[in-house]
Amino acid sequence: MLAFSCLIAIFAVAWFWLDTAAARDRARRGAHRLCSELGVQFLDQTVALSRTRLRRGPNGGLCWERLFRFEFSESGIERYSGRVEILGRRATWAILDGARIGRVLADVDQLGNL
């Protein structure tokens, strides 16, 4: 019985790790596409996980909400921060705060179902 419990725990950790990696890839693609559309540079070509929690999704069921941070530049010199939220398997919103572009909030229609 202990071996079965350990196997289930290992499976759950592996699933969570793979699901987080897939969400990170969706967030990276969404941030890159949004930066391209706004004419700013997506720096380091990566996003970093900053928060994970359970939240109710659009259908009312529980799903993982993951918030990723990234950096972009308007001129190639300074760095500004942005955030992308992945709820379940969908990019729900992104926020970019810059000097030239101001605060840009993109919703799911702009990011698409990545």
Side-chain angles (χ1 to χ4, degrees):
M1 189 63 173
L2 180 62
F4 181 70
S5 297
C6 288
L7 186 62
I8 294 295
I10 290 170
F11 176 74
V13 167
W15 173 85
F16 185 77
W17 182 77
L18 289 172
D19 194 53
T20 300
R24 182 182 317 110
D25 188 51
R26 284 195 268 323
R28 186 193 54 76
R29 286 185 312 209
H32 184 268
R33 187 163 64 191
L34 187 58
C35 285
S36 293
E37 289 175 8
L38 294 172
V40 298
Q41 285 181 307
F42 178 50
L43 298 177
D44 305 326
Q45 302 299 309
T46 190
V47 295
L49 182 66
S50 65
R51 183 178 69 201
T52 300
R53 66 180 181 170
L54 282 173
R55 195 177 112 192
R56 297 228 178 259
N59 63 355
L62 287 176
C63 58
W64 289 106
E65 173 195 68
R66 295 176 175 99
L67 184 65
F68 293 90
R69 294 189 177 278
F70 64 95
E71 292 185 331
F72 68 96
S73 178
E74 295 172 331
S75 67
I77 298 171
E78 73 289 317
R79 294 175 93 84
Y80 296 104
S81 65
R83 299 179 302 277
V84 176
E85 181 191 70
I86 305 291
L87 183 59
R89 300 199 178 277
R90 291 186 59 96
T92 55
W93 56 262
I95 295 177
L96 284 78
D97 290 312
R100 179 178 55 83
I101 63 172
R103 174 171 267 198
V104 175
L105 173 62
D107 60 15
V108 72
D109 293 330
Q110 290 173 305
L111 291 176
N113 191 7
L114 302 173

